[in-house]
Amino acid sequence: MNPAELNYQPVATFEKYEKENHKMEKGNPMWQFLAGVTVNLASVALGTCLGWTSPMGPVYKSNDTNINPLDTPPTEAEESWIGSLVALGALIAPFIAGPLAEKFGRKLTLLGSSAFFIVSWILLLTASTVGQILAARLIQGFGVGFVMTVQTMYIGEIASNEYRGALGSLMQLCIVTGILYVYSVGPYVSYQALQWACMALPIIFAVAFFFMPETPTFYITKGRSEDAVASLRFLRGKSSDGVQDELKETTQSVEEAMNSKASVMDLFKSKGNVKALIICAGLISFQQLSGINVILFYSQMIFAKTGSSLEPAVSTILVGVVQVLASGATPLIVDRLGRKPILLASAGGMCIAHGTMGLYFYMDYIKSDAVESISWLPIFSLIFFVTVYCVGFGPLPWAVLGEMFPANVKSIASSIVASTCWVLGFLVLQFFSTLDQAVGSHWSFWIFGIMCGVAFAFTLTTVMETKGMSLQQIQDKLNS
């Protein structure tokens, strides 16, 4: 017998054995992508809440009773609360959504989030007072917090290893799609029509997501192994025998996580965990201090102040389109270039964009004759800012958060970092108008630019590169 035959027969026998035992079922990834896209319809609904104030700001300031549904226009302080209450609601929601997801399941909790959105749009549809709008915005914040807390859990638990990155990147893309949706519809329809158009999205999500499965991980935590098998069969497009290996692996991971649950104090007992917390909380903090929420919430008002020849509504739509395109590019380049280089480029680009935006408003402040000749600068600056933000500091802090912590402290660390995000988001939105009036628009943007410069220095000196590293290698490097 020649060597080729010696090598061939064991391989052939092994392959035959694998096929006979259903271990070589390829399955069909289409079903987990279907579940991933369907659950991200909630992110589109979330995006409409973030972008809603941009087209609605001019409506509330109008004295035309045919346009403005309010009895009296809101004051500057009330406008700040209208913008910032979403962040406050999103700060509170994770402490409710997390326990509900553990007790009732990821699917049921996410379906419940649609109720917050629907109720808020009904309140806005019938609003005639600022108080009712404030109540609606707070309720929207609860919906935003529920989705951002539980959807990441759902995606992480339904996705197979090879598709987790692609499915995880859909959230940012769908959020900016929702923002573009409200930017594009809002300026060209009536106030009531916009509320109906936004209300349709959570209804569509609830109807479509009702037919998607609960995660196998949740079923395992409840001892419902048969339901876990059924969920895996749907998501993988395989037979019951074909998902047994993954079922065993998932069961083992769940048991280990349940046996090694940690407290908040355990997070600070490890050098690596402390370093990871500094990195993740720092990145999230600079994400909010970059001024992104001000751009999203008040972009149409910002463009109106510039006096550009291009209509503010059109300029805002351009920003929304750029957001979608830039967010779609991140998954294609992040594993090739690495996290740190992209974050550095993002921070540097945002710093330049704020600098040029502040320069325009300074020229306008001193009544320079050159203002008219550079009326294109605000549009260019904001589009450039949004591009570099959506490629880097938009999605990557959340991606880094998912890599930095061991399983037993990940939920605790994620809650702390998410709370940091929304606290800063609330403060920036609440006090931007006050800051803008106190120091002028030029210094407002320059202050954001300085924060982006500090973010560049922080990323350069503190953030570690995790490209191509396993979770264990990341832990080894953090604890070295």
Side-chain angles (χ1 to χ4, degrees):
M1 186 177 291
N2 62 47
E5 290 175 335
L6 284 171
N7 289 332
Y8 173 77
Q9 288 183 350
V11 172
T13 303
F14 177 76
E15 290 179 348
K16 182 179 179 181
Y17 174 82
E18 290 284 277
K19 289 179 181 179
E20 288 174 351
N21 287 272
H22 303 277
K23 291 182 180 180
M24 289 195 67
E25 284 190 60
K26 291 184 178 180
N28 189 344
M30 177 186 74
W31 301 108
Q32 61 181 297
F33 274 93
L34 175 64
V37 170
T38 303
V39 74
N40 269 289
L41 292 175
S43 294
V44 180
L46 184 162
T48 61
C49 299
L50 299 183
W52 180 84
T53 50
S54 181
M56 287 298 98
V59 172
Y60 290 138
K61 287 187 174 182
S62 174
N63 293 319
D64 187 345
T65 56
N66 294 322
I67 298 175
N68 191 345
L70 299 181
D71 298 332
T72 56
T75 64
E76 290 288 339
E78 288 171 338
E79 283 187 17
S80 296
W81 280 106
I82 290 172
S84 61
L85 271 177
V86 167
L88 183 61
L91 168 63
I92 300 169
F95 299 100
I96 305 170
L100 287 178
E102 293 295 337
K103 185 174 183 179
F104 298 108
R106 288 60 162 145
K107 177 180 175 179
L108 193 58
T109 305
L110 282 167
L111 286 172
S113 71
S114 62
F116 289 115
F117 293 129
I118 293 170
V119 169
S120 71
W121 294 121
I122 292 174
L123 286 173
L124 290 171
L125 186 64
T126 59
S128 59
T129 64
V130 173
Q132 188 166 333
I133 290 177
L134 293 176
R137 293 291 286 168
L138 182 63
I139 293 170
Q140 283 183 346
F142 293 147
V144 169
F146 265 63
V147 171
M148 295 196 75
T149 301
V150 185
Q151 185 179 291
T152 51
M153 297 169 63
Y154 185 86
I155 289 291
E157 293 174 4
I158 68 163
S160 55
N161 292 337
E162 62 266 39
Y163 301 119
R164 187 168 290 117
L167 287 170
S169 66
L170 286 176
M171 186 175 188
Q172 172 77 7
L173 178 61
C174 289
I175 288 174
V176 296
T177 299
I179 293 171
L180 175 59
Y181 176 80
V182 77
Y183 280 180
S184 302
V185 175
Y188 304 107
V189 299
S190 67
Y191 173 85
Q192 287 75 17
L194 178 61
Q195 316 317 311
W196 282 113
C198 291
M199 192 192 305
L201 295 176
I203 294 173
I204 293 170
F205 159 71
V207 172
F209 191 59
F210 178 81
F211 298 98
M212 294 298 108
E214 178 58 86
T215 71
T217 300
F218 173 74
Y219 283 136
I220 292 170
T221 61
K222 299 301 180 182
R224 298 165 60 180
S225 57
E226 291 184 2
D227 290 328
V229 170
S231 178
L232 279 172
R233 284 182 59 191
F234 176 90
L235 294 167
R236 303 294 178 261
K238 295 182 179 181
S239 65
S240 296
D241 291 331
V243 300
Q244 288 303 312
D245 285 346
E246 186 173 356
L247 178 67
K248 291 177 182 178
E249 183 181 339
T250 305
T251 302
Q252 182 179 355
S253 298
V254 169
E255 290 175 350
E256 289 176 355
M258 293 178 70
N259 292 332
S260 61
K261 283 188 175 181
S263 65
V264 176
M265 293 308 299
D266 292 325
L267 180 63
F268 297 95
K269 291 178 181 178
S270 164
K271 171 188 172 183
N273 288 344
V274 172
K275 186 175 181 180
L277 187 62
I278 291 171
I279 291 172
C280 294
L283 289 176
I284 287 294
S285 297
F286 287 118
Q287 179 195 73
Q288 295 302 308
L289 293 173
S290 71
I292 181 60
N293 283 330
V294 171
I295 302 298
L296 296 181
F297 281 56
Y298 302 117
S299 56
Q300 190 162 327
M301 293 169 62
I302 292 170
F303 281 124
K305 288 177 67 175
T306 65
S308 170
S309 57
L310 196 62
E311 289 186 17
V314 176
S315 302
T316 303
I317 292 171
L318 286 176
V319 170
V321 171
V322 170
Q323 280 184 301
V324 173
L325 295 176
S327 298
T330 305
L332 303 177
I333 63 173
V334 65
D335 287 322
R336 296 181 182 181
L337 302 180
R339 283 72 164 151
K340 189 169 182 175
I342 297 176
L343 285 168
L344 287 170
S346 179
M350 290 190 298
C351 183
I352 294 171
H354 278 308
T356 55
M357 179 63 75
L359 175 63
Y360 173 86
F361 279 107
Y362 177 72
M363 299 289 283
D364 184 60
Y365 176 74
I366 64 173
K367 307 300 181 184
S368 171
D369 295 334
V371 169
E372 290 187 9
S373 64
I374 57 171
S375 60
W376 53 270
L377 187 59
I379 299 172
F380 175 82
S381 298
L382 258 66
I383 288 177
F384 181 65
F385 172 87
V386 166
T387 300
V388 293
Y389 172 85
C390 287
V391 170
F393 262 84
L396 291 188
W398 299 108
V400 172
L401 174 62
E403 299 173 328
M404 284 285 178
F405 295 95
N408 63 325
V409 297
K410 182 172 287 187
S411 61
I412 297 171
S414 298
S415 298
I416 292 174
V417 173
S419 298
T420 303
C421 170
W422 290 113
V423 166
L424 288 172
F426 170 75
L427 292 175
V428 169
L429 288 169
Q430 175 64 21
F431 295 109
F432 172 73
S433 296
T434 304
L435 176 69
D436 195 58
Q437 289 181 356
V439 301
S441 296
H442 54 291
W443 265 113
S444 297
F445 285 104
W446 282 341
I447 289 172
F448 286 136
I450 291 169
M451 290 295 102
C452 293
V454 177
F456 182 93
F458 174 82
T459 303
L460 183 65
T461 58
T462 308
V463 176
M464 57 178 265
E465 180 57 71
T466 58
K467 172 188 172 184
M469 298 173 66
S470 68
L471 297 180
Q472 187 57 52
Q473 288 173 328
I474 293 172
Q475 290 305 307
D476 292 340
K477 188 171 182 179
L478 284 168
N479 288 284
S480 62

